[in-house]
Amino acid sequence: MGDSDAESLERVCDAAEVTEQSPAVVEFDGTKVAVFVVDGEYFALDAVCPHQGGPLEDGKVEEGCVYCPWHGWQFDLESGDHVHGKATATTYRVAVEGEDVLVGPST
Amino acid sequence: MSLIPDHDTRVAYMRAYNNMVVDRFARGDGTYYAKMIGLPEHPEETAAEVERVGHEDGIVGLFVTDVGPTQPLGHRRHDPIFEAAEAAELPIVLHSTTGLPPSFPAAGMNPKNFLEYHTLSHPVAKMWHATSIIVRGVPERFDVDFGFWEAGFSWLQLLANRMDREYIERPNEAPELTKLPSEYLSEFYYGSQPLEEPRDPDHLQTIIDMNELNDQLVYTTDYPHMDFDAPTAVTSHEGLREEQKRKMLGENAARLFGI
């Protein structure tokens, strides 16, 4: 979900803080946002699971989805949609410029 | 505890557990409340234990496992437990322990995996006990509140509809009843966890309203089990009315436990 239009984005952390093993949790517009990187591609979505509030940043990431560690709810990293449409985690635009990770509101 | 093969040891563990609960957890200062534990397989010993512990400060209920007893709770052999609970003014809360073969409903189920087993074990055990409690007239003979924990409450809908029809067709088999089985079910209490999440969230409130459960649902967590419910399970549920949430999160439990 990379984005070349970085002007509307806000720096949230160093790129080094985001690894496949350890996603970053940042604050954007008053909301906790989890930033994931998978095979060099970055994704950002609400860190708080819309089901019961579990920490999505601690979830297993597999085949383009993150699984909430509390009850296993499965969200598509790109769309934020639950696999069976039970809820949607808000997604954000994310880009990397140099050493910086930038996040902005979803379009 | 129910798996301990030696009966004397099992009863000793029950007493030791209750000693621990009284010594370390239950309080008389309004901070911590607890349920004592009983063993339906040992009715006389459990009744004596209720007499010994049931009046201790902060003890507000009697917890019995509902997966494991060899007889459904409505069996006459359990009458001493009901008598003791009534005298101590303690509600009886059935809370499952999972996977205790060869007892019902584990025996013969032959599930492929935990998904199959866990889907059925809790509600089927609840239905087994609730059916026997009602058909055998326990609520008519004892003034005791019953709580059913850890199976949600949607199972009640099936039981209410089905048992009413069965009762109407053969009321002579439950001569002590003074009203429809579904009306007894509406007087029991139910733990919320795991709170059901119908495809249309509004249907959960519909089930509550249909079965007159507005004052009977108690928020429960089952924490730290993997299927625990955080308070957000209730507070953020899109289908529940705000008044319903308030009752589930405190008022109903306060009434049930006399807090």
Side-chain angles (χ1 to χ4, degrees):
Chain A
M1 198 177 174
D3 195 307
S4 59
D5 179 14
E7 293 184 2
S8 61
L9 304 179
E10 178 180 308
R11 182 191 179 283
V12 291
C13 65
D14 292 339
E17 296 177 53
V18 185
T19 67
E20 294 207 7
Q21 293 71 35
S22 180
V25 179
V26 302
E27 183 164 323
F28 174 76
D29 199 22
T31 301
K32 282 176 68 176
V33 174
V35 181
F36 299 84
V37 59
V38 180
D39 295 331
E41 189 173 3
Y42 286 78
F43 303 91
L45 63 164
D46 277 346
V48 179
C49 179
H51 176 220
Q52 290 194 20
L56 289 184
E57 73 275 14
D58 292 337
K60 177 181 69 174
V61 174
E62 200 170 84
E63 297 183 352
C65 293
V66 59
Y67 295 74
C68 180
W70 278 13
H71 300 97
W73 280 39
Q74 176 185 353
F75 299 95
D76 185 277
L77 281 171
E78 187 155 352
S79 68
D81 291 336
H82 181 265
V83 64
H84 295 300
K86 298 286 281 185
T88 299
T90 301
T91 56
Y92 300 85
R93 299 162 66 203
V94 59
V96 174
E97 285 203 348
E99 301 295 318
D100 299 328
V101 175
L102 311 174
V103 164
S106 55
T107 54
Chain B
M1 202 176 297
S2 301
L3 285 174
I4 298 172
D6 178 70
H7 287 196
D8 292 338
T9 304
R10 197 188 294 167
V11 170
Y13 265 75
M14 170 180 70
R15 293 172 180 151
Y17 177 92
N18 287 326
N19 286 344
M20 180 188 71
V21 169
V22 169
D23 289 344
R24 301 190 185 179
F25 297 104
R27 294 282 181 270
D29 59 4
T31 54
Y32 291 96
Y33 300 95
K35 295 188 288 291
M36 60 173 294
I37 195 170
L39 297 172
E41 289 296 279
H42 305 277
E44 298 293 345
E45 291 88 344
T46 295
E49 189 69 351
V50 171
E51 292 173 14
R52 183 180 78 90
V53 176
H55 295 284
E56 293 284 350
D57 288 342
I59 295 294
V60 295
L62 172 63
F63 156 55
V64 298
T65 61
D66 56 18
V67 180
T70 53
Q71 292 290 338
L73 207 59
H75 192 283
R76 283 274 186 178
R77 73 190 299 251
H78 299 129
D79 280 2
I81 300 176
F82 304 138
E83 190 175 344
E86 180 180 359
E89 298 184 345
L90 292 183
I92 296 175
V93 174
L94 293 81
H95 188 166
S96 297
T97 54
T98 308
L100 296 175
S103 302
F104 183 87
M109 188 190 292
N110 297 322
K112 175 190 176 186
N113 52 31
F114 192 74
L115 169 57
E116 280 187 23
Y117 179 74
H118 202 242
T119 298
L120 293 176
S121 60
H122 291 284
V124 169
K126 299 286 186 292
M127 287 191 265
W128 182 52
H129 290 300
T131 302
S132 73
I133 289 169
I134 292 170
V135 171
R136 304 183 200 197
V138 175
E140 293 294 339
R141 289 185 285 118
F142 298 98
D143 182 17
V144 177
D145 284 322
F146 286 93
F148 295 81
W149 267 214
E150 212 189 340
F153 48 86
S154 291
W155 57 271
L156 168 64
Q157 186 65 70
L158 179 152
L159 198 60
N161 294 345
R162 187 165 174 80
M163 194 157 39
D164 278 1
R165 175 162 177 160
E166 295 286 340
Y167 172 67
I168 288 168
E169 291 180 7
R170 47 183 70 82
N172 58 312
E173 293 189 7
E176 293 176 276
L177 303 198
T178 59
K179 50 193 173 188
L180 289 170
S182 62
E183 295 178 83
Y184 293 99
L185 287 169
S186 295
E187 294 174 353
F188 294 160
Y189 288 78
Y190 303 89
S192 60
Q193 181 274 343
L195 193 63
E196 284 107 338
E197 294 155 339
R199 292 197 297 275
D200 180 344
D202 291 342
H203 288 166
L204 193 64
Q205 186 68 58
T206 302
I207 292 171
I208 294 170
D209 293 339
M210 287 172 66
N211 293 283
E212 301 174 11
L213 299 179
N214 308 79
D215 296 324
Q216 312 303 124
L217 303 179
V218 174
Y219 165 65
T220 48
T221 68
D222 207 37
Y223 184 82
H225 286 175
M226 52 83 196
D227 56 346
F228 73 96
D229 273 343
T232 48
V234 175
T235 58
S236 64
H237 198 289
E238 297 176 5
L240 297 175
R241 291 190 295 266
E242 289 307 310
E243 179 196 25
Q244 187 65 62
K245 294 178 180 179
R246 193 180 69 246
K247 288 184 173 184
M248 289 174 71
L249 289 168
E251 293 177 13
N252 292 346
R255 186 183 337 102
L256 173 62
F257 293 117
I259 296 172

